[in-house]
Amino acid sequence: MIDGQVSTAPAPGTAAPPAVVEARGVHKVFGQGAGGLHVLRGVDLTVPRGTVTVILGPSGSGKSTLLRCLNELEEITAGSVHVDGELLGYRQDAKGVLHRLHPTRIAAQRSRIGMVFQRFHLFGHMTALENVMEAPVQVRGLSKRTARTRALELLDRVGLSDRVGHYPAQLSGGQQQRVAIARALAMDPELMLFDEPTSALDPELVGEVLAVMQDLAASGMTMVVVTHEIGFARQVADHVVFMDDGVVVEQGPPADVLDRPSEPRLQEFLAHVL
Amino acid sequence: MSVPDLAEPTRGGTTVPEPLRARPVPRPGRWVSGAIVLVLAAMVAHALVTNPNFRWDTVWLYLRDVNVVRGVGWTLVLTFGSMAIAVVLAVLLAVMRRSDNPVMRWVAWCYIWFFRGTPIYTQLVFWGLISVLYPRLSLGVPFGPELLVFDTRTVITAFWAALIGLALNEAAYLAEIVRAGLGSVDTGQAEAARALGMKESRILRRIVLPQAMRVIVPPTGNETISMLKTTSLVVAVPFTLEITYATSAIGSRTFEPIPLLIVAALWYLLITSVLMVGQHHLERYYGRGFDDGGRAGRRRPLPAGPGKQAAIRAASTTRDDPFAEVTP
């Protein structure tokens, strides 16, 4: 059985500023019993504020699942995830007993974490502008006027000020993904998660999305990116994590991990990708 | 088909060369079938108009009769009233069926099982008899003292019995339509909304339900048209003011049942035609943002610019691919 203990939160008041993401001993099993699929097998991940972490790995290695655990889209089986010092999904009382949080509380936690999906998932019945305005108005309770001004700024930032009235079906994949990034940014997130943001795009459209992400990283956003774009990892990442079979195999600065890989599995992976 | 004016350059800035001129494929089948249908239609029209048994003068007279028009009014009230109640109940039932709460799921399942499983006529008879079965209605503590007591006959009149009977039955059918609609929306939509921190109730109301409407509206329009005719069964309650009963009452009084049946049929046909127009507009509204070859779904026309892919799709000559890419 998997250890059900929750590790302690990063001690408050220590010298180093608390990391935005502190994942400790994260396990994820899909299904139950002997037939369960053990996708994450004890993953630790620390993402300091203002840094970009790129997660690499072959398909099925659990990298997308890990990302989805960082904003509660998947409930973890064991371990703990702290975002901005706050335990995700649970409350620990004075006796150390865990209580599952109410869905409303979990929704509030998620509202501070932006997520960009491989398949964009823009709301199909809303224009680009309405997509970006939706959460600030519905979740934060912003006035439509304020939300609109902010949404126009964000769409301008991702280079789409001339597409605000378009429905997703009238936009290219690259444009849709940039709207999706603006939509996530509209909630002023502490952390942005990217789940293979360019994998569903035609090759010539990848660049425009990566450029927006690079710009975002330069502005100091804390980002965790699951991708196959080694070039992006080399250029933008502060930290590269290589996962295989549900564990972190190797991690470190991109120069070390990508150019001087020590693990044979990583060497093999890079030989296939590069 | 029109071809672009040769003098005017297209959006790409190039002039289109002179379009191909060719003789179209001959289609004699169209002319032959057209002629046959025309002759048959003329024969049917002739047989209808010249047959004195139809009494068209009586039809025309009673088409505008005050009792008939009032009957039309009641039929419309029953149709729209019961559909309105049924839609609200149906959304509730559909959400209950998809709920995490097993009690809710079970309650909704039983409701649908019962109201779909028994004839509407029987249900209407029971609603008509409710004041016999339960002469008094009371509000109070369950199994305990009563606080407010009503005489059933004054609360549930024949009209309310008819309305409730039709609505509760219809809700069961509509619930399944709504459930299918909710299931048709890509789960990524709810997931994206969840990632933005939206609550489940809001995701349903703002994201899932509006997109499900695209699937829900066409069969609901069908159900509304069906309901229009089902209202004639409220005679089982008995409620006797709607159009079918009103016309047949006149018909048996004047010994002219056939012209009066035609009167009712013409009214049903007219209302159905109007409903179909309304359905068309509803479908267009809820289809917004979903490309269907440019025939529907846009509140505003495609702006000029590199909407090349959209223009190709609008021509309806290629298969629509939701993940089609375009290079701006």
Side-chain angles (χ1 to χ4, degrees):
Chain A
M1 242 355 257
I2 296 152
D3 181 18
Q5 278 290 304
V6 169
S7 63
T8 48
T14 44
V20 175
V21 177
E22 281 281 1
R24 290 287 163 266
V26 174
H27 285 258
K28 175 66 192 177
V29 182
F30 286 103
Q32 277 166 355
L37 194 63
H38 201 162
V39 176
L40 295 180
R41 305 161 180 263
V43 175
D44 294 334
L45 183 71
T46 304
V47 181
R49 187 172 302 282
T51 65
V52 176
T53 299
V54 167
I55 304 178
L56 299 174
S59 48
S61 59
K63 53 196 193 307
S64 282
T65 304
L66 175 63
L67 199 71
R68 293 164 59 82
C69 288
L70 299 185
N71 73 344
E72 284 283 325
L73 284 182
E74 300 293 350
E75 212 175 305
I76 61 176
T77 311
S80 69
V81 178
H82 286 81
V83 171
D84 221 19
E86 190 178 329
L87 180 61
L88 280 196
Y90 300 90
R91 178 176 58 82
Q92 203 161 14
D93 66 18
K95 291 176 196 159
V97 181
L98 280 184
H99 301 265
R100 183 84 180 130
L101 288 179
H102 190 269
T104 313
R105 189 74 205 100
I106 293 177
Q109 289 184 332
R110 282 196 193 113
S111 72
R112 301 180 310 145
I113 305 167
M115 177 121 182
V116 174
F117 298 87
Q118 183 180 354
R119 290 282 186 193
F120 334 130
H121 297 325
L122 288 182
F123 305 134
H125 60 308
M126 296 181 185
T127 62
L129 181 65
E130 288 165 343
N131 263 282
V132 181
M133 286 169 62
E134 180 66 10
V137 171
Q138 296 295 327
V139 179
R140 292 264 190 275
L142 251 61
S143 74
K144 285 211 170 162
R145 177 195 291 253
T146 318
R148 191 187 155 83
T149 313
R150 174 96 174 102
L152 288 171
E153 276 171 26
L154 286 167
L155 285 169
D156 186 42
R157 182 169 168 190
V158 298
L160 289 173
S161 27
D162 57 338
R163 293 285 183 277
V164 295
H166 284 52
Y167 285 98
Q170 300 166 342
L171 297 171
S172 74
Q175 292 169 339
Q176 287 188 57
Q177 194 60 297
R178 286 187 279 152
V179 174
I181 292 171
R183 176 175 71 174
L185 289 176
M187 293 297 280
D188 296 316
E190 308 276 343
L191 167 69
M192 283 283 284
L193 308 175
F194 294 83
D195 188 5
E196 303 201 26
T198 57
S199 298
L201 299 177
D202 275 359
E204 75 268 28
L205 302 179
V206 168
E208 62 186 74
V209 172
L210 290 182
V212 168
M213 290 169 62
Q214 192 159 4
D215 169 62
L216 196 58
S219 76
M221 176 63 74
T222 312
M223 294 162 56
V224 180
V225 185
V226 169
T227 187
H228 293 293
E229 298 291 331
I230 303 290
F232 178 81
R234 199 186 300 276
Q235 260 187 300
V236 182
D238 299 292
H239 194 73
V240 174
V241 175
F242 176 71
M243 282 181 72
D244 192 18
D245 204 19
V247 292
V248 173
V249 174
E250 189 169 343
Q251 57 179 318
D256 294 350
V257 175
L258 298 175
D259 298 331
R260 289 179 292 279
S262 53
E263 285 288 328
R265 273 188 287 181
L266 176 54
Q267 288 164 0
E268 196 189 336
F269 175 77
L270 291 173
H272 278 102
V273 179
L274 291 175
Chain B
M1 285 295 273
S2 66
V3 287
D5 196 321
L6 292 189
E8 229 170 281
T10 56
R11 220 152 50 197
T14 49
T15 22
V16 179
E18 186 160 355
L20 288 172
R21 290 183 197 283
R23 287 169 196 276
V25 175
R27 301 193 187 277
R30 293 187 182 183
W31 294 102
V32 173
S33 59
I36 293 173
V37 167
L38 215 60
V39 170
L40 285 176
M43 285 167 71
V44 170
H46 182 259
L48 283 173
V49 173
T50 57
N51 187 340
N53 293 334
F54 285 120
R55 297 283 186 93
W56 291 106
D57 52 333
T58 315
V59 170
W60 180 241
L61 182 70
Y62 282 107
L63 205 55
R64 303 156 297 153
D65 182 84
V66 65
N67 285 316
V68 171
V69 174
R70 195 179 294 144
V72 170
W74 280 110
T75 295
L76 287 174
V77 168
L78 282 174
T79 304
F80 288 112
S82 60
M83 284 306 287
I85 299 171
V87 165
V88 173
L89 261 177
V91 172
L92 197 70
L93 284 166
V95 171
M96 282 166 74
R97 279 209 70 177
R98 290 163 56 94
S99 161
D100 290 337
N101 184 335
V103 178
M104 291 290 122
R105 279 205 304 272
W106 185 81
V107 168
W109 187 89
C110 285
Y111 180 99
I112 293 167
W113 167 76
F114 180 79
F115 282 94
R116 278 204 313 187
T118 53
I120 174 72
Y121 193 85
T122 313
Q123 288 173 28
L124 286 169
V125 170
F126 266 95
W127 283 106
L129 290 175
I130 194 105
S131 57
V132 178
L133 297 168
Y134 296 95
R136 292 177 335 125
L137 293 177
S138 64
L139 282 176
V141 183
F143 308 109
E146 296 172 341
L147 301 174
L148 279 170
V149 181
F150 304 98
D151 178 10
T152 308
R153 230 171 319 172
T154 58
V155 180
I156 302 181
T157 59
F159 169 73
W160 284 105
L163 192 72
I164 293 168
L166 291 171
L168 294 192
N169 181 260
E170 185 58 33
Y173 288 93
L174 282 180
E176 292 295 278
I177 292 172
V178 174
R179 191 168 67 102
L182 295 178
S184 75
V185 178
D186 176 20
T187 50
Q189 294 285 309
E191 192 155 83
R194 217 166 282 140
L196 286 166
M198 289 173 79
K199 286 185 297 183
E200 293 300 320
S201 55
R202 206 170 294 236
I203 294 173
L204 179 76
R205 193 165 52 81
R206 296 282 310 173
I207 308 298
V208 179
L209 206 49
Q211 296 187 69
M213 289 304 274
R214 214 161 46 93
V215 173
I216 293 172
V217 167
T220 302
N222 200 36
E223 288 290 309
T224 309
I225 288 166
S226 168
M227 175 61 87
L228 179 70
K229 273 80 51 88
T230 307
T231 55
S232 62
L233 292 181
V234 297
V235 68
V237 169
F239 180 81
T240 55
L241 295 170
E242 53 73 43
I243 176 94
T244 295
Y245 194 88
T247 51
S248 71
I250 298 169
S252 39
R253 199 178 63 227
T254 60
F255 301 107
E256 290 179 307
I258 298 217
L260 269 299
L261 282 174
I262 295 173
V263 167
L266 286 175
W267 271 111
Y268 282 125
L269 208 53
L270 178 74
I271 299 168
T272 302
S273 312
V274 174
L275 286 176
M276 285 170 75
V277 173
Q279 181 180 356
H280 170 77
H281 285 281
L282 266 182
E283 282 178 25
R284 221 163 69 156
Y285 175 75
Y286 283 110
R288 71 188 188 278
F290 294 88
D291 230 349
D292 55 354
R295 264 167 282 117
R298 268 185 220 115
R299 279 188 294 188
R300 57 208 90 175
L302 263 180
K308 219 182 283 176
Q309 189 74 35
I312 292 170
R313 265 187 249 151
S316 287
T317 49
T318 52
R319 201 177 60 81
D320 187 19
D321 177 5
F323 291 108
E325 304 293 348
V326 64
T327 319

